[in-house]
Amino acid sequence: RLSARSELRTAARQLRVTLLEARLAAIDSGSPAYFHYQPGGARFEVGRRSSVSSLSHRAGQDPDVTEPDQFDVGTAAGAGAAEPQSLPRGVRFAEPLTDRQVPRSAAVGEVPGNATWSAPIVFHANGRTRNARLALMNELYRIQLDVRGLTGTVQISQVERLPPPESALPEPLPEAGT
């Protein structure tokens, strides 16, 4: 169990470094960078916007909501290649702010069946982004990462024990006298 806690904490620290590298890549290049992941899976991508002309947003559109296909995947610092990266074995992305687990249909390291990606976290050239929360889990524990929009800092929560599955709960004892 200590190993599972430690592995999850290490994965969260590595993900924090990846997010901070994406932010620094946006600042250094002068063009936005993004991070997105596959909920329930272990894969994520880091990329950078391909051209200055794609930086213009339509009037009234939130500049923090950007489609990932407007980016070149794998060009941000630390990305290394256009291929999606993966969390360590046994760790996957979970839904933030809930106690329920992501469906087990997405095996660790595999693409979830519907191959959906999260909304991207976009780091702008000034280093800003929107506030975001990510959650990681393994079979026993979960941890959350909070990204501060104004500063781009990433805070990691304490490791929390997952509640046991309902099938693992003990049967209620019969009441005395019945």
Side-chain angles (χ1 to χ4, degrees), residues 45 59 76-77 86-87 92 96 105 131 140 156-157 160 169 174:
E45 292 180 338
S86 292
L87 294 169
R92 62 186 180 273
S105 61
N131 289 337
L140 300 172
I156 300 174
S157 73
E160 300 172 2
L169 295 176

Side-chain angles (χ1 to χ4, degrees), residues 69 103 124 154:
D69 60 3
H124 299 280
V154 180

Side-chain angles (χ1 to χ4, degrees), residues 130-147:
R130 62 180 166 80
N131 289 337
R133 177 168 284 165
L134 305 167
L136 302 178
M137 65 183 287
N138 58 22
E139 293 300 316
L140 300 172
Y141 300 100
R142 119 189 224 99
I143 194 168
Q144 290 194 152
L145 292 88
D146 289 310
V147 181

Side-chain angles (χ1 to χ4, degrees), residues 111-125:
V111 178
N114 56 7
T116 60
W117 288 88
S118 68
I121 298 172
V122 179
F123 294 95
H124 299 280

Side-chain angles (χ1 to χ4, degrees), residues 34 36 50 66-73 120:
Y34 79 96
H36 69 159
S50 60
T66 309
E67 294 300 318
D69 60 3
Q70 295 176 341
F71 292 88
D72 287 334
V73 174

